[in-house]
Amino acid sequence: MRQFVLAANWKMNKTPVETAAFFQTFLSGFSPSPGRQTVFFVPALDITTAIGATNGRGVGIGTQNIHFEKKGAFTGENSAEAAKAAGCEWTLVGHSERRSLFGETDLITAKKMKLALECGLKPMLCVGESLDERTAGETMKVVERQLTVGLEAMTAADWASVTIAYEPVWAIGTGKVATPEQASEVHTAIRAWLERRAGAEVAAAMPILYGGSAKPENFREIASQKNIDGFLVGGASLEADSFLKFCAW
Ligand code: PEP
């Protein structure tokens, strides 16, 4: 049975002190349950605090970005090896803000996917179309290109560690959530793509998350649709009470 994954993307928010305070509140209301994974993608400077605060509590911590080289002269970048050594289990790859603000191409996401796996991190590949691309009827063309290139080097042994997040760019941080039908249509197409690429077993086991203005008030209807296996939540994950509503569902 595939896992249901609830992932928080804090982006560049919270200091270590705020991180500790968040987890104090969050963990007082959280209990892990079988078949579910809860993950926090926190800013790099909060990783140590997040790992210390959540140790043994059934919550995974991840980095929001890694560099595609293992080490070297890359000032300011996050090392996948160091993230793993610090206690991270996960990393985001190809978030739309990385793509649009920091020039992350599909080829770069492919290298990051491979290195994350090599370093023992579980990569969550983010894909999604812009509003112009959706309006032009190119949603699946864009998403399939991002999947094809980003996941090109995956071997049979890699798939179990991979997760996909479908995040329409026009819905991220805008308050404009995809309709349950829009989300389900793309998730179903992603699963069909996976079946062609890696076989029915891999496709059936792959968690495909929705992200884009998911809120306590709107996520249930999306969650009840076919092929939606969790959420990547930005703004609504910053308050413990708000994110707990996703986790308690
Ligand atoms: C995100 O950053 O991945 C995201 C989905 O943000 P928001 O929930 O704020 O739209």
Side-chain angles (χ1 to χ4, degrees):
M1 202 187 85
R2 62 179 174 260
Q3 298 276 303
F4 194 83
V5 183
L6 289 160
N9 175 15
W10 283 358
K11 312 192 189 207
M12 200 174 71
N13 292 293
K14 295 197 191 294
T15 64
V17 167
E18 289 164 349
T19 298
F22 174 95
F23 281 116
Q24 205 167 19
T25 311
F26 178 81
L27 291 171
S28 68
F30 173 76
S31 21
S33 38
R36 288 195 166 218
Q37 297 190 54
T38 307
V39 187
F40 287 86
F41 293 103
V42 303
L45 292 171
D46 296 330
I47 284 172
T48 308
T49 306
I51 285 167
T54 57
N55 193 14
R57 301 297 300 270
V59 163
I61 301 299
T63 183
Q64 296 169 6
N65 179 41
I66 52 168
H67 195 268
F68 56 80
E69 294 288 351
K70 219 175 208 171
K71 54 178 65 161
F74 302 104
T75 303
E77 285 290 328
N78 292 335
S79 144
E81 210 175 31
K84 177 70 183 174
C88 284
E89 282 178 63
W90 295 77
T91 185
L92 283 179
V93 173
H95 188 278
S96 73
E97 285 151 20
R98 300 294 319 168
R99 292 178 190 261
S100 65
L101 302 174
F102 301 99
E104 192 156 317
T105 62
D106 293 329
L107 281 174
I108 291 174
T109 68
K111 290 188 195 177
K112 291 185 176 188
M113 290 297 294
K114 205 60 203 158
L115 183 68
L117 291 162
E118 204 182 304
C119 293
L121 294 171
K122 294 190 263 190
M124 182 179 290
L125 179 67
C126 302
V127 297
E129 80 289 1
S130 67
L131 188 56
D132 283 352
E133 289 162 343
R134 174 162 281 268
T135 310
E138 290 181 347
T139 297
M140 274 325 294
K141 185 173 143 202
V142 170
V143 168
E144 288 199 4
R145 189 202 69 226
Q146 292 169 332
L147 293 170
T148 303
V149 181
L151 299 174
E152 187 171 12
M154 296 302 98
T155 64
D158 291 334
W159 290 109
S161 305
V162 171
T163 302
I164 295 169
Y166 167 58
E167 299 206 296
V169 178
W170 48 270
I172 297 180
T174 58
K176 271 190 220 155
V177 67
T179 66
E181 295 72 26
Q182 283 172 324
S184 180
E185 185 186 17
V186 179
H187 282 228
T188 300
I190 292 174
R191 204 172 306 286
W193 180 90
L194 276 167
E195 191 166 339
R196 295 195 297 279
R197 165 68 175 84
E201 214 174 300
V202 167
M206 179 69 66
I208 306 173
L209 283 64
Y210 169 80
S213 297
K215 305 263 179 280
E217 311 81 64
N218 64 24
F219 83 91
R220 289 178 185 80
E221 211 188 334
I222 301 174
S224 63
Q225 299 289 312
K226 216 170 126 208
N227 288 315
I228 308 235
D229 311 310
F231 292 88
L232 178 54
V233 186
S237 71
L238 291 170
E239 295 297 330
D241 289 347
S242 162
F243 194 56
L244 276 169
K245 294 202 171 85
F246 289 86
C247 301
W249 181 71

